[in-house]
Structures are given as C-alpha cells and as structure tokens.
Amino acid sequence: EDQVTQSPEALRLQEGESSSLNCSYTVSGLRGLFWYRQDPGKGPEFLFTLYSAGEEKEKERLKATLTKKESFLHITAPKPEDSATYLCAVRPLGNRDDKIIFGKGTRLHILP
Amino acid sequence: DTGVSQDPRHKITKRGQNVTFRCDPISEHNRLYWYRQTLGQGPEFLTYFQNEAQLEKSRLLSDRFSAERPKGSFSTLEIQRTEQGDSAMYLCASRDRSRDKLLNTGELFFGEGSRLTVL
C-alpha cells in the first residue's frame, strides 16, 4: 500500500536555528513528490515538486531534496513567519488514478 | 484570479442531518478534488473529477457521501445522515491538467476549506 511518513511530528526551533524535516515514502512507482505548507485554518499551499532522485528545489529559506526512499525539507536560518505545518505528498505511478497521498505533516514552530 | 472558493466556511449541525458543501474551482481548471482533514492529520483523498466525470472515489467515501460536478464547473459534496465521526475540514482543490503537462508541477490549488462540526 502506498504510504507517506513524516518525522518529526512537531519541531520547535529558535529563530536562525537550521534543521531538516523528513518524509519517507513507499510507493510502487513515483510520479511526483510534493511539499506543501499549511497555516492554521487554511488550505495547503504548494511549495515544490520533485520527480527524480538527486533533484533539488529551493525557495527562500527552504530547500527540498529527493532520494529513492525519502525527501528532506531543509530550512536554513528560519524566521517566526516560517511557523506552519509542512505536508509531504506523493502521486503514485502506474494507473489512471490521480489521487495524491499526503503524510500527517510536521508542525514547525519558530521561536523569536 | 479569485482562487478556489468554498462555502460555507463553517457548518455546525446535529447528528442525523444532511449537509452540503460547495466548491468553485479556478475557472480554467478541469480537475477538481475533494479531501478530508481531521485535526493533526494530513488531507485524505475522497474523490476527484475530470470536468463533469467522477473518475475515482476513495473507500473512505461511504454511501452517505455523494459528490457531483454538473457541467464541469462548481462541485458539491453532500453528506447524508451525518455522524460525529464526519466532523472534519473538507478541502477542495483544483488544477488545470492540460497546462500542468506543460509546466510539469503537479500543483494542486486548495481552497480555505469547509469545517464541519457534528454535535
């Protein structure tokens, strides 16, 4: 069964303290891995898509990387406004289904 | 660009009542998705449409749930005989599959969600 597991569930960092969030996935084939940001009471907001192992994408203080079994979201020198839940999701390969499977997310809290 | 719009934003109902949520996708988007999200969990896929055709339904979608997308524009999600376990945020998302083939992002555009509380 296709599955996405994110760790840690929650992370508290001081402003400026860099860290990484992990997303491990089990799929029969990968058509894309996605990172979304979700603020409380809002819908998820798209950040990145990664398609193949070795690929990297960057946006401001965030960098996403992909291996054959996991993805990392690196956050460099975070600011309080980076506090949110970060969701990882995968689109499995191989059938007509277009569903994207989400992990439970990592709640990130940046302390000023 | 008005984004994906959902209505109502909040709904409180008594167990056993029927509720209906509406989603207006971004106008040129041909794919529309419904997800359900409970506290501390990621969004769970419910169903999706290509224009007016419902192409996939999750096993999570019991017989009490029905979704429609008449004319391939807005969509409705109806829950009949609500139960307390139906309390959740119901998220709608859309994308333009044709344009996405060119840009190759796979991005879903989500609405703000409709929060359902069943008493």
Short mmCIF file of all heavy atoms in Angstrom, two decimals, chain A residues 3-4 15 17 24 39 50 54 66 74-75 77 80 86 93 103-105:
data_model
loop_
_atom_site.label_atom_id
_atom_site.label_comp_id
_atom_site.label_asym_id
_atom_site.label_seq_id
_atom_site.Cartn_x
_atom_site.Cartn_y
_atom_site.Cartn_z
N GLN A 3 2.27 4.72 0.92
CA GLN A 3 2.30 5.32 2.25
C GLN A 3 3.32 6.44 2.33
O GLN A 3 4.38 6.37 1.69
CB GLN A 3 2.66 4.24 3.27
CG GLN A 3 2.25 4.55 4.68
CD GLN A 3 2.31 3.32 5.57
OE1 GLN A 3 2.75 2.25 5.15
NE2 GLN A 3 1.87 3.46 6.80
N VAL A 4 3.00 7.46 3.13
CA VAL A 4 3.92 8.58 3.35
C VAL A 4 4.03 8.79 4.86
O VAL A 4 3.02 8.92 5.55
CB VAL A 4 3.37 9.88 2.70
CG1 VAL A 4 4.30 11.05 3.00
CG2 VAL A 4 3.21 9.69 1.20
N GLU A 15 14.74 31.02 16.36
CA GLU A 15 14.96 31.78 15.13
C GLU A 15 16.43 31.68 14.73
O GLU A 15 17.32 31.87 15.57
CB GLU A 15 14.58 33.24 15.34
CG GLU A 15 14.69 34.08 14.09
CD GLU A 15 14.14 35.49 14.29
OE1 GLU A 15 13.69 35.81 15.40
OE2 GLU A 15 14.17 36.27 13.33
N GLU A 17 17.93 28.90 13.80
CA GLU A 17 18.44 27.55 14.02
C GLU A 17 18.00 26.66 12.86
O GLU A 17 16.83 26.29 12.75
CB GLU A 17 17.92 27.00 15.36
CG GLU A 17 18.41 25.61 15.68
CD GLU A 17 17.79 25.08 16.97
OE1 GLU A 17 16.98 25.81 17.60
OE2 GLU A 17 18.09 23.93 17.34
N SER A 24 9.49 10.01 4.42
CA SER A 24 9.81 8.73 3.79
C SER A 24 8.56 8.18 3.12
O SER A 24 7.46 8.37 3.64
CB SER A 24 10.37 7.73 4.80
OG SER A 24 9.43 7.47 5.81
N ASP A 39 -1.02 26.74 6.93
CA ASP A 39 -1.20 27.58 8.11
C ASP A 39 -2.51 27.19 8.79
O ASP A 39 -3.44 26.68 8.14
CB ASP A 39 -1.22 29.05 7.71
CG ASP A 39 0.15 29.50 7.21
OD1 ASP A 39 1.11 29.39 7.99
OD2 ASP A 39 0.26 29.94 6.05
N LEU A 50 9.14 17.42 -6.78
CA LEU A 50 10.38 16.72 -7.12
C LEU A 50 10.00 15.45 -7.86
O LEU A 50 9.02 14.78 -7.49
CB LEU A 50 11.17 16.38 -5.85
CG LEU A 50 11.58 17.57 -4.98
CD1 LEU A 50 12.05 17.09 -3.62
CD2 LEU A 50 12.69 18.37 -5.67
N GLY A 54 17.93 12.74 -6.53
CA GLY A 54 19.01 13.68 -6.79
C GLY A 54 18.55 15.09 -7.09
O GLY A 54 19.32 16.04 -7.08
N LEU A 66 15.49 14.98 -2.82
CA LEU A 66 14.80 13.70 -3.02
C LEU A 66 15.81 12.58 -3.24
O LEU A 66 16.76 12.73 -4.01
CB LEU A 66 13.86 13.79 -4.22
CG LEU A 66 13.05 12.55 -4.57
CD1 LEU A 66 12.05 12.22 -3.46
CD2 LEU A 66 12.31 12.73 -5.89
N HIS A 74 14.86 21.10 3.98
CA HIS A 74 15.85 21.78 4.81
C HIS A 74 15.40 23.23 4.98
O HIS A 74 15.05 23.90 4.00
CB HIS A 74 17.22 21.74 4.13
CG HIS A 74 17.67 20.37 3.73
ND1 HIS A 74 18.27 19.49 4.61
CD2 HIS A 74 17.59 19.73 2.54
CE1 HIS A 74 18.54 18.36 3.97
NE2 HIS A 74 18.14 18.47 2.72
N ILE A 75 15.44 23.69 6.21
CA ILE A 75 15.10 25.08 6.45
C ILE A 75 16.32 25.77 7.08
O ILE A 75 16.82 25.34 8.13
CB ILE A 75 13.82 25.21 7.31
CG1 ILE A 75 13.48 26.67 7.53
CG2 ILE A 75 13.95 24.46 8.64
CD1 ILE A 75 12.04 26.89 7.94
N ALA A 77 18.24 29.05 8.64
CA ALA A 77 18.04 30.30 9.38
C ALA A 77 16.56 30.71 9.39
O ALA A 77 16.19 31.78 8.88
CB ALA A 77 18.91 31.41 8.79
N PRO A 80 10.25 33.45 12.46
CA PRO A 80 8.95 33.09 13.04
C PRO A 80 7.85 32.91 11.99
O PRO A 80 6.97 32.06 12.17
CB PRO A 80 8.65 34.27 13.97
CG PRO A 80 10.00 34.74 14.40
CD PRO A 80 10.88 34.58 13.19
N TYR A 86 4.12 21.54 7.66
CA TYR A 86 4.67 21.22 6.35
C TYR A 86 4.25 19.80 5.98
O TYR A 86 4.52 18.84 6.72
CB TYR A 86 6.18 21.38 6.34
CG TYR A 86 6.57 22.84 6.44
CD1 TYR A 86 6.67 23.48 7.67
CD2 TYR A 86 6.76 23.60 5.29
CE1 TYR A 86 6.97 24.82 7.76
CE2 TYR A 86 7.08 24.95 5.37
CZ TYR A 86 7.17 25.56 6.61
OH TYR A 86 7.46 26.90 6.70
N LEU A 93 2.71 6.17 -9.37
CA LEU A 93 2.78 5.96 -10.81
C LEU A 93 1.96 4.75 -11.21
O LEU A 93 1.76 3.85 -10.41
CB LEU A 93 4.25 5.71 -11.18
CG LEU A 93 4.64 5.48 -12.64
CD1 LEU A 93 4.47 6.76 -13.44
CD2 LEU A 93 6.08 5.00 -12.72
N GLY A 103 1.15 12.85 3.79
CA GLY A 103 1.56 12.45 5.13
C GLY A 103 0.82 13.28 6.16
O GLY A 103 0.01 14.16 5.82
N LYS A 104 1.10 13.00 7.44
CA LYS A 104 0.39 13.70 8.51
C LYS A 104 0.96 15.08 8.77
O LYS A 104 0.34 15.89 9.45
CB LYS A 104 0.45 12.88 9.80
CG LYS A 104 -0.31 11.58 9.73
CD LYS A 104 -0.29 10.84 11.05
CE LYS A 104 -1.09 9.56 10.96
NZ LYS A 104 -1.12 8.83 12.24
N GLY A 105 2.14 15.35 8.26
CA GLY A 105 2.72 16.67 8.41
C GLY A 105 3.67 16.80 9.58
O GLY A 105 3.66 15.98 10.51
#
